[in-house]
């Protein structure tokens, strides 16, 4: 059984891509096969794993050319971790999809076949509530929402949860808000602490794990490496490991966690 997890939040710079990369890498490290699908035209998840889209195609082709999933999957350097890369072309997909049939279901349909070999599919979304993000939410069973521990952290979350409710009502009943993830937590500031408390007060399903602010984490993508390779002993690497553990607890049968 494949589990499809989407990272989403219409705010940019909150840690969606960083989480997509490092959660995927942490799950793969634990022996699960993981496919990361890059749904952002900025292609930061693709680049952050040291991958470039080959001429054979990208997420654009998955959404608009009905290319089969397997023809677009690119291996990474790490066992158990694959990517469907994105390119800047995907920016045009938002407009082209608007006039297409079944425009909200393109990704979901693309994931109908050939996914059994992945235990997890992790989808990185762009910073908007446009059709690319809607496609991610319609294809997923769980959505994880990174929230930066900064002033106005909760701003926009109301609009996000309303969108989620609409998607659930009209397009994908299965979708669950699996949790909010506090990112860029700075334990030296009282602001981080306040924000974390406020988020937890509003959303009881916030991950226990908090991702610390970490220079190492921001450096890793420029080397094309996940944090568990770039600096495996860093607190940030340990945090993504702990988060992966929570994801496993939440979505996987207990028997499977034990093995
Ligand atoms: N925990 C963190 N500590 C320090 N920098 C971070 C952290 N998480 C993300 N960043 C950096 O912040 C920027 C935005 O993060 P990113 O994951 O790209 O956000 P999004 O995908 O939501 O736009 C990137 O430069 C990234 O390297
Ligand atoms: Mg991003």
């Amino acid at each position: 059984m494949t589990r499809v997890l989407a990272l989403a939040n219409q705010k940019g710079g909150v840690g969606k891509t960083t989480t997509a990369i490092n959660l995927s890498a942490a799950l793969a490290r634990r022996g699960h096969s993981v496919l990361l699908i890059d749904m952002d035209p900025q292609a930061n998840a693709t680049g952050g794993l040291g991958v470039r889209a080959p001429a054979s195609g990208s997420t654009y082709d998955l959404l608009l050319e009905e290319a089969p999933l397997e023809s677009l999957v690119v291996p990474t350097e790490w066992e158990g971790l694959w990517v469907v890369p994105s390119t800047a072309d995907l920016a045009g997909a938002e407009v082209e999809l608007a006039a297409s049939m079944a425009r909200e279901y393109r990704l979901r349909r693309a994931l109908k076949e050939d996914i059994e070999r992945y235990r997890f599919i992790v989808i990185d979304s762009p910073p908007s509530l446009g059709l690319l993000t809607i496609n991610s939410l319609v294809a997923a069973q769980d959505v994880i929402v990174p929230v930066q521990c900064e002033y106005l952290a909760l701003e926009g979350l109301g609009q996000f949860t309303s969108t989620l409710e609409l998607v659930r009502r009209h397009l994908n009943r299965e979708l669950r808000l699996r949790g909010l993830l506090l990112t860029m937590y700075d334990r030296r500031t009282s602001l981080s602490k306040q924000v974390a408390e406020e988020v937890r007060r509003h959303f009881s399903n916030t991950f226990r794990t908090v991702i610390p602010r970490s220079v190492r984490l921001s450096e890793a993508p420029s080397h094309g490496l996940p944090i568990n390779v770039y600096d495996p002993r860093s607190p940030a690497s340990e945090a993504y490991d702990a988060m992966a553990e929570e994801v496993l607890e939440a979505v996987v049968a207990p028997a499977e966690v034990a093995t």
Side-chain angles (χ1 to χ4, degrees), residues 5-102:
L5 314 170
L7 275 303
N9 185 334
Q10 79 272 32
K11 263 198 201 179
V14 296
K16 290 182 290 298
T17 300
T18 303
T19 302
I21 291 171
N22 293 301
L23 170 63
S24 298
L27 289 168
R29 172 69 62 87
R30 278 163 190 278
H32 298 282
S33 51
V34 183
L35 176 64
L36 195 166
I37 300 183
D38 193 347
M39 285 285 280
D40 188 343
Q42 291 183 55
N44 292 337
T46 303
L49 284 171
V51 169
R52 285 186 56 194
S56 55
S58 65
T59 323
Y60 178 92
D61 303 274
L62 194 64
L63 299 175
L64 284 143
E65 305 292 341
E66 295 184 52
L69 182 71
E70 273 312 301
S71 71
L72 302 173
V73 171
V74 175
T76 66
E77 277 180 53
W78 302 284
E79 203 179 328
L81 182 55
W82 292 266
V83 179
V84 174
S86 152
T87 60
D89 295 352
L90 194 57
E94 190 95 52
V95 177
E96 290 171 52
L97 277 172
S100 308
M101 293 286 285

Side-chain angles (χ1 to χ4, degrees), residues 11-18 44 184 211-215 217-218 221:
K11 263 198 201 179
V14 296
K16 290 182 290 298
T17 300
T18 303
N44 292 337
M184 300 182 227
I211 310 300
R213 185 173 281 285
S214 149
V215 173
L217 203 50
S218 59

Side-chain angles (χ1 to χ4, degrees), residues 186-195:
D186 185 345
R187 62 189 169 80
R188 293 165 308 179
T189 70
S190 57
L191 178 64
S192 269
K193 204 169 162 215
Q194 282 166 23
V195 169

Side-chain angles (χ1 to χ4, degrees), residues 28-242:
R29 172 69 62 87
R30 278 163 190 278
H32 298 282
S33 51
V34 183
L35 176 64
L36 195 166
I37 300 183
D38 193 347
M39 285 285 280
D40 188 343
Q42 291 183 55
N44 292 337
T46 303
L49 284 171
V51 169
R52 285 186 56 194
S56 55
S58 65
T59 323
Y60 178 92
D61 303 274
L62 194 64
L63 299 175
L64 284 143
E65 305 292 341
E66 295 184 52
L69 182 71
E70 273 312 301
S71 71
L72 302 173
V73 171
V74 175
T76 66
E77 277 180 53
W78 302 284
E79 203 179 328
L81 182 55
W82 292 266
V83 179
V84 174
S86 152
T87 60
D89 295 352
L90 194 57
E94 190 95 52
V95 177
E96 290 171 52
L97 277 172
S100 308
M101 293 286 285
R103 57 192 187 173
E104 295 95 350
Y105 292 95
R106 293 301 178 99
L107 182 59
R108 188 182 178 96
R109 286 185 177 178
L111 301 186
K112 275 271 180 284
E113 275 156 45
D114 289 337
I115 63 166
E116 304 77 26
R117 66 195 196 91
Y118 307 108
R119 182 64 187 85
F120 290 98
I121 294 180
V122 175
I123 308 170
D124 187 27
S125 318
S128 79
L129 290 175
L131 276 170
L132 291 172
T133 297
I134 298 295
N135 264 272
S136 300
L137 296 177
V138 171
Q141 289 148 303
D142 302 281
V143 54
I144 296 170
V145 183
V147 176
Q148 194 183 351
C149 292
E150 287 292 345
Y151 183 56
L152 298 180
L154 286 167
E155 189 198 47
L157 274 179
Q159 192 192 359
F160 184 82
T161 51
S162 311
T163 302
L164 214 58
E165 206 39 61
L166 286 172
V167 168
R168 200 167 14 227
R169 201 175 315 148
H170 300 289
L171 301 166
N172 177 13
R173 262 172 206 283
E174 255 189 314
L175 184 66
R176 290 285 166 273
L177 175 57
R178 185 52 65 184
L180 277 74
L181 176 69
L182 296 162
T183 64
M184 300 182 227
Y185 186 90
D186 185 345
R187 62 189 169 80
R188 293 165 308 179
T189 70
S190 57
L191 178 64
S192 269
K193 204 169 162 215
Q194 282 166 23
V195 169
E197 282 170 6
E198 197 187 352
V199 169
R200 288 189 194 284
R201 207 165 34 244
H202 282 81
F203 295 92
S204 56
N205 56 348
T206 301
F207 282 88
R208 291 190 301 280
T209 306
V210 168
I211 310 300
R213 185 173 281 285
S214 149
V215 173
R216 303 297 277 164
L217 203 50
S218 59
E219 290 169 352
S222 64
H223 301 273
L225 301 173
I227 192 69
N228 66 8
V229 177
Y230 183 62
D231 193 352
R233 288 186 211 291
S234 62
S237 180
E238 285 172 9
Y240 274 112
D241 250 350

